[in-house]
Amino acid sequence: MVSPILELTDINKSFGHVQANKNINLKINKGTIHGIIGENGAGKSTLMSIVFGLYQANSGSIKINGKEINLRSPRDSIINGIGMVHQHFMLVENFTVLENIILGFEGEAVFGEKLQKAKEDLEKLCQTYNFNIDLDATISDLSVGFRQRVEILKSLYRGAEVLILDEPTGVLTPQEVDELFKILRSLKDEGKTIVLITHKLIEIMDLTSEVSVMRQGEMVGHTKTEDTSKEQLAEMMVGRSVLLRVDKKEIKKGETIFKVNNLSVKDDLDVTRVKDVNLEICSGEILGIAGVTGNGQTELLEALSGIRKVESGSIELFGEKISDQNNFLNPRMLKEKGLAHVPEDRQRMGLISDFKAHENLIFGYHDQEPYSKSAILNNKEITEYSNKVMQEYDVRPNSPNLITSNFSGGNQQKIILSRELNENPKVLLVGQPTRGVDIGAIEFIHQRLIDMRDKGAAILLASVELDEILSLSDRIIVMFDGKIVGEKENKNVTDRELGLLMAGVA
Amino acid sequence: MEFLSDIASLINSTLRISTPLVFAAMAGIFAERSGVIDFSLEGKMLMAAFVAAVGSYYLGNPWLGLLLAIIVCVCLSMLHGFASVTHKGDQVVSCVAINILIIGLTTALAAAWFGQAGLTPTLNEDQRFLEIHLPFADALRDIPVIGTLYSDILSGHYVFVYLAYLSVPLVFWIVFKTSFGLRLRAVGENPSAVDTAGINVFTMRYKALAINGVLIAFAGAHLSTAVNANFFREMSAGRGYLALAAMIFGKWHPKTALIACLLFGFTDALQIRLQGVELPAIGEIPVQLIQALPYILTVVLLAGFVGKAIAPNAIGQPYIKER
């Protein structure tokens, strides 16, 4: 029997008190696409960073082609044929493609012959895999999809036999995902081994031949992909059975309560990011905004929630003009009018991470009764309320005195959601509600949003997860380059159609 | 012809005055391109001036004084690195600490060794650098234009002046044409990218700081063993900060930083030259106004002409590998 190309035995790794990997065993066979699936924080990325030499394991051994190897730095891994495409690309933005690829492997002290040789080799590689990359282009001018190809090319150039990809599809449009999968399949055909880290079940089913499941730092199962199903994998990931589809009642559309007219918004660098946007939302309706990150969704949400100045156009709530270029209501005034906002970036805008959970739970309402009286906080009331609401929202652990940053992403999101939904808002603006949130919590958060809709709230949902948009929204608009490029009723619309709109080609 | 020789002497002093700025700006480029803020150029320049003066006083050779200054400055850079690279301290705080330390240390050591607070003994001709007269400078002086250019502008400088301007293309070559330069720029932009390419981020930053120490030592030695013949208290007089400003004007690029240094040097030279000069129709310009000229120019430049300076992306952030 041939020994596996990569074999991990009893790998342990902890960061401080948190044990990220516990006695991990893993065998990866040559020429396969091997999936590693698990929720956020399950320890997948840590494990692969150990294989890549970026972190060092506390104990355990790593064998490559049957030979035990001590990996002290990424250099050791690269020399032994391991390449990794990280979730956040490891590229220098103001360097050219060529500079990024040769970095660390220049082969000569002063640029000259070897640089020319590298260029020729890379051009050949590009042709072999049909990459279509301009080696002299600057990274910051390239789209996310192309940057990812540069990362793959970089690994191949450095001689990778095993290519690890960490959540490679999170930032891609469906078309780009297709392209990527095509590339990965052709790499496999060339005899390369691919390790795909993901939390998306569909990618595992589509692409891999073998799959390993991780939960809370442990390896909970290995199986051939053909012998398993999405439901079974989800259950292994979470440790209980989960509902993958959202149950949604027929829409009961009320009157239009939120209206945006010809809105334009600029970002901090004075670039117009939202261009002449019109939209309306009725009560009892979820309007989804689909789009690739950075096409103006962030600025749109910020303007609608009163955080960012409106450049031109106006926003109406219940027929009353609340913002235009001359005056706008601040978030507090908007809150009083029944508008709630779950910001995209919960660490930066949604929470104060160093505060205790109960402080974040009432933040914004802290000066109202019963939480405070005559400017003095009523800790007893706050604790009682916190206990109650944390139970209701299933925040784990249920300890209001714990510092917020110690909760997992999903539980932090539940804290924000409970606070924003607490006063039964009429309009709810939600950005990326399940980014970095585990499957179990996603199910819960989605259900809450649906409940709010059924109670008659108007909900604007911006998400880069197309599946989320498709499963929750009643109507979908697509943003590209700050403009609304399409609007669809969420009936019979496919992710293909939306993907084309998101890429700005339809 | 008098006008021409006025211009020549103005250019001559511009070159001389800019010299420590050029060394310091080049030193700053190495540190900051690697992602480490260097506010301590000022302190290191002062320390180099002190060590160079003391060293060449005792050893009798200015080159040995310079060598000592280099060693001490590299040590100071390593100290900065130890605090802010290895131990991930705040880079600005580390620099300020070094600056304060050195102001006190030079004064105190001078008092202890020579009995005068902040003053070292005057160096004799053997102990300091002298002006270099290029061959045939006197013979060629009378040839119009070329003579002036060669004899009055190019000739008659201290060795540091020539070295400073030679260092600029050298720095450019290192930063943009070598693999060390590529790694240097990368480590200041995205240290994670460097780490995942199998290069040690910390080693790179220490290397950059070592070069920074060598270059800044030249600036200090120029002040105390060439232009002056001794060290006096706070003799760096803000040149380190000015060089830092020039480097930022120059957008962390050796060529444009050189231009900024020359501009600062020029306004300073002009300021000295204009003092007491009667201008037609205006009369004598108040000396305070003239002395304010370099600063006014700085503000105007900062406000209008330079545009947004984009710093290396990772500057000021200690590299933290594990969460």
Side-chain angles (χ1 to χ4, degrees):
Chain A
M1 162 129 195
V2 195
S3 55
I5 190 159
L6 183 66
E7 184 174 0
L8 309 182
T9 319
D10 289 330
I11 298 282
N12 279 291
K13 174 73 183 170
S14 33
F15 297 102
H17 295 297
V18 184
Q19 186 151 24
N21 287 154
K22 286 174 224 165
N23 295 321
I24 303 280
N25 291 294
L26 178 67
K27 279 185 194 154
I28 289 171
N29 294 316
K30 190 170 162 51
T32 56
I33 299 186
H34 192 115
I36 296 181
I37 194 162
E39 295 187 292
N40 290 288
K44 307 171 299 243
S45 297
T46 303
L47 185 66
M48 287 304 124
S49 293
I50 290 171
V51 174
F52 189 57
L54 207 53
Y55 298 159
Q56 278 68 47
N58 300 122
S59 65
S61 76
I62 299 170
K63 282 186 190 165
I64 296 173
N65 283 323
K67 211 174 81 191
E68 184 158 341
I69 280 166
N70 183 17
L71 301 171
R72 284 153 311 178
S73 87
R75 193 161 202 96
D76 294 340
S77 299
I78 294 167
I79 288 168
N80 284 295
I82 293 173
M84 182 160 176
V85 176
H86 296 261
Q87 192 172 5
H88 304 286
F89 299 147
M90 297 298 176
L91 297 169
V92 181
E93 295 225 347
N94 57 4
F95 277 19
T96 64
V97 172
L98 182 65
E99 285 173 326
N100 267 294
I101 290 175
I102 61 167
L103 180 66
F105 295 82
E106 301 88 351
E108 56 190 357
V110 179
F111 292 131
E113 255 174 64
K114 291 268 173 63
L115 186 72
Q116 211 48 46
K117 171 99 173 36
K119 212 169 167 178
E120 284 162 18
D121 291 349
L122 282 166
E123 267 158 11
K124 259 182 239 153
L125 265 179
C126 280
Q127 253 166 15
T128 314
Y129 295 107
N130 209 357
F131 271 1
N132 202 11
I133 297 173
D134 174 9
L135 295 174
D136 294 320
T138 306
I139 298 295
S140 54
D141 295 337
L142 298 179
S143 72
V144 177
F146 269 95
R147 289 182 199 195
Q148 192 171 52
R149 279 187 212 181
V150 173
E151 284 279 22
I152 295 174
L153 185 62
K154 186 164 91 179
S155 289
L156 293 175
Y157 175 72
R158 292 170 183 178
E161 284 302 318
V162 180
L163 186 64
I164 304 165
L165 294 111
D166 190 359
E167 302 279 0
T169 59
V171 287
L172 303 180
T173 63
Q175 278 74 15
E176 284 173 326
V177 172
D178 282 354
E179 291 280 313
L180 173 69
F181 284 8
K182 228 187 276 170
I183 291 171
L184 294 183
R185 285 197 187 97
S186 74
L187 286 172
K188 187 193 118 182
D189 294 342
E190 294 271 319
K192 309 271 183 203
T193 310
I194 313 268
V195 181
L196 179 76
I197 305 175
T198 183
H199 66 273
K200 292 181 186 161
L201 295 161
I202 188 158
E203 290 172 5
I204 293 289
M205 302 313 288
D206 260 16
L207 200 64
T208 64
S209 54
E210 281 163 59
V211 55
S212 303
V213 185
M214 288 186 76
R215 190 202 317 150
Q216 289 171 358
E218 288 177 89
M219 201 54 96
V220 292
H222 304 279
T223 167
K224 289 220 177 298
T225 312
E226 55 192 19
D227 299 339
T228 186
S229 66
K230 273 205 253 181
E231 285 70 21
Q232 209 181 346
L233 285 175
E235 203 175 320
M236 282 164 88
M237 278 166 73
V238 186
R240 62 182 169 83
S241 65
V242 266
L243 208 59
L244 289 177
R245 279 276 130 221
V246 186
D247 274 334
K248 208 167 66 167
K249 280 189 236 152
E250 195 57 29
I251 182 168
K252 270 190 290 188
K253 212 166 170 174
E255 56 187 317
T256 303
I257 55 179
F258 193 70
K259 213 172 156 197
V260 173
N261 307 314
N262 305 94
L263 185 76
S264 292
V265 182
K266 283 184 176 176
D267 68 4
D268 295 335
L269 299 173
D270 220 29
V271 180
T272 307
R273 300 304 298 269
V274 176
K275 298 168 185 166
D276 203 22
V277 162
N278 288 293
L279 56 88
E280 22 187 276
I281 317 170
C282 304
S283 85
E285 178 189 44
I286 297 181
L287 175 64
I289 305 180
V292 181
T293 313
N295 276 293
Q297 305 97 311
T298 306
E299 288 77 11
L300 176 65
L301 274 191
E302 285 180 356
L304 298 185
S305 56
I307 303 169
R308 190 172 285 282
K309 195 174 156 287
V310 170
E311 204 54 38
S312 65
S314 65
I315 304 167
E316 286 173 33
L317 182 64
F318 295 114
E320 177 199 354
K321 190 184 275 186
I322 53 168
S323 294
D324 58 24
Q325 72 263 47
N326 298 320
N327 46 52
F328 70 101
L329 298 184
N330 63 35
R332 185 176 198 94
M333 293 150 131
L334 289 172
K335 193 175 267 175
E336 278 159 18
K337 291 195 179 293
L339 183 137
H341 177 212
V342 178
E344 279 188 337
D345 187 345
R346 65 175 161 267
Q347 254 87 24
R348 201 168 60 84
M349 296 177 90
L351 292 167
I352 303 176
S353 310
D354 295 335
F355 273 22
K356 292 175 176 168
H358 73 257
E359 291 169 317
N360 271 310
L361 279 166
I362 57 144
F363 203 65
Y365 303 97
H366 54 279
D367 55 349
Q368 293 169 14
E369 291 197 41
Y371 312 124
S372 69
K373 209 171 180 183
S374 324
I376 293 169
L377 290 174
N378 184 343
N379 276 320
K380 191 165 151 273
E381 279 291 339
I382 294 174
T383 311
E384 245 167 57
Y385 166 77
S386 301
N387 273 322
K388 192 186 93 200
V389 83
M390 284 172 90
Q391 203 137 44
E392 193 181 319
Y393 277 80
D394 192 26
V395 179
R396 281 182 247 177
N398 186 348
S399 29
N401 282 321
L402 193 65
I403 300 289
T404 311
S405 56
N406 293 340
F407 288 88
S408 73
N411 284 306
Q412 290 184 12
Q413 191 71 342
K414 286 181 193 167
I415 289 175
I416 300 179
L417 218 56
S418 76
R419 180 185 66 207
E420 296 303 321
L421 301 187
N422 180 37
E423 300 280 294
N424 281 318
K426 304 287 182 299
V427 178
L428 179 62
L429 308 172
V430 194
Q432 317 297 348
T434 56
R435 179 185 280 171
V437 170
D438 40 82
I439 295 197
I442 288 177
E443 185 191 3
F444 180 88
I445 290 167
H446 283 176
Q447 199 52 53
R448 285 285 155 167
L449 293 177
I450 297 283
D451 290 348
M452 284 302 292
R453 156 194 182 257
D454 293 344
K455 275 198 256 172
I459 299 178
L460 183 68
L461 167 75
S463 175
V464 290
E465 298 284 348
L466 209 44
D467 290 340
E468 180 165 77
I469 295 281
L470 282 165
S471 62
L472 291 180
S473 314
D474 299 302
R475 203 151 49 87
I476 299 169
I477 56 175
V478 182
M479 276 187 87
F480 176 75
D481 193 25
K483 291 189 275 271
I484 293 182
V485 290
E487 180 174 341
K488 307 256 175 200
E489 289 293 326
N490 191 7
K491 283 176 196 151
N492 311 322
V493 64
T494 64
D495 58 349
R496 303 285 97 180
E497 288 171 60
L498 292 178
L500 289 175
L501 288 167
M502 281 161 69
V505 290
Chain B
M1 271 332 268
E2 199 182 326
F3 175 69
L4 196 65
S5 78
D6 270 355
I7 298 279
S9 89
L10 197 59
I11 296 175
N12 188 301
S13 25
T14 300
L15 291 177
R16 196 187 62 244
I17 292 170
S18 305
T19 295
L21 299 182
V22 172
F23 279 125
M26 295 305 129
I29 285 176
F30 275 100
E32 302 224 334
R33 280 276 187 177
S34 82
V36 182
I37 294 175
D38 195 8
F39 249 48
S40 61
L41 291 172
E42 176 73 13
K44 280 183 277 197
M45 195 191 297
L46 192 65
M47 193 65 184
F50 178 78
V51 173
V54 173
S56 82
Y57 175 72
Y58 280 126
L59 302 171
N61 184 335
W63 290 102
L64 292 177
L66 173 66
L67 185 69
L68 272 183
I70 289 176
I71 294 170
V72 171
C73 281
V74 170
C75 289
L76 284 174
S77 282
M78 293 300 105
L79 180 68
H80 181 35
F82 185 68
S84 63
V85 176
T86 304
H87 287 287
K88 311 182 196 322
D90 189 294
Q91 297 175 358
V92 174
V93 172
S94 158
C95 291
V96 171
I98 288 174
N99 287 346
I100 294 172
L101 170 76
I102 285 164
I103 291 175
L105 196 64
T106 48
T107 317
L109 286 179
W113 292 342
F114 308 107
Q116 281 171 302
L119 212 61
T120 64
T122 310
L123 303 172
N124 64 33
E125 292 214 336
D126 289 339
Q127 294 165 334
R128 60 179 285 220
F129 292 97
L130 299 174
E131 290 169 345
I132 297 170
H133 291 277
L134 296 180
F136 315 115
D138 288 326
L140 295 171
R141 175 158 286 130
D142 293 332
I143 303 170
V145 187
I146 296 174
T148 314
L149 189 72
Y150 184 75
S151 309
D152 291 342
I153 295 178
L154 284 182
S155 177
H157 288 293
Y158 301 104
V159 61
F160 292 112
V161 178
Y162 301 108
L163 288 178
Y165 297 104
L166 287 177
S167 79
V168 177
L170 184 68
V171 169
F172 176 82
W173 183 75
I174 292 175
V175 172
F176 292 101
K177 301 288 175 197
T178 67
S179 62
F180 174 79
L182 186 76
R183 295 171 181 197
L184 176 81
R185 284 180 286 137
V187 85
E189 287 290 336
N190 185 354
S192 308
V194 174
D195 197 2
T196 53
I199 305 161
N200 191 313
V201 172
F202 303 109
T203 314
M204 266 318 289
R205 290 193 169 164
Y206 273 108
K207 282 183 188 166
L209 283 172
I211 299 174
N212 160 284
V214 173
L215 283 168
I216 194 68
F218 281 81
H222 173 73
L223 294 179
S224 68
T225 59
V227 203
N228 297 289
N230 65 346
F231 170 87
F232 55 87
R233 210 184 144 136
E234 289 172 38
M235 81 183 302
S236 54
R239 286 186 184 87
Y241 298 124
L242 210 56
L244 199 71
M247 181 197 68
I248 294 170
F249 281 178
K251 301 181 180 174
W252 291 266
H253 199 289
K255 283 187 198 161
T256 33
L258 169 68
I259 294 170
C261 289
L262 286 173
L263 196 71
F264 283 150
F266 175 74
T267 53
D268 207 20
L270 190 69
Q271 174 259 117
I272 296 165
R273 183 103 196 123
L274 282 180
Q275 285 182 20
V277 172
E278 299 250 352
L279 286 186
I282 302 170
E284 192 176 324
I285 305 169
V287 68
Q288 290 84 353
L289 185 69
I290 294 171
Q291 283 175 338
L293 199 68
Y295 303 98
I296 295 171
L297 189 78
T298 307
V299 171
V300 170
L301 277 177
L302 255 183
F305 293 101
V306 177
K308 195 173 161 66
I310 298 169
N313 207 8
I315 198 163
Q317 302 161 5
Y319 180 57
I320 296 165
K321 188 161 144 179
E322 297 191 357
R323 47 186 174 164

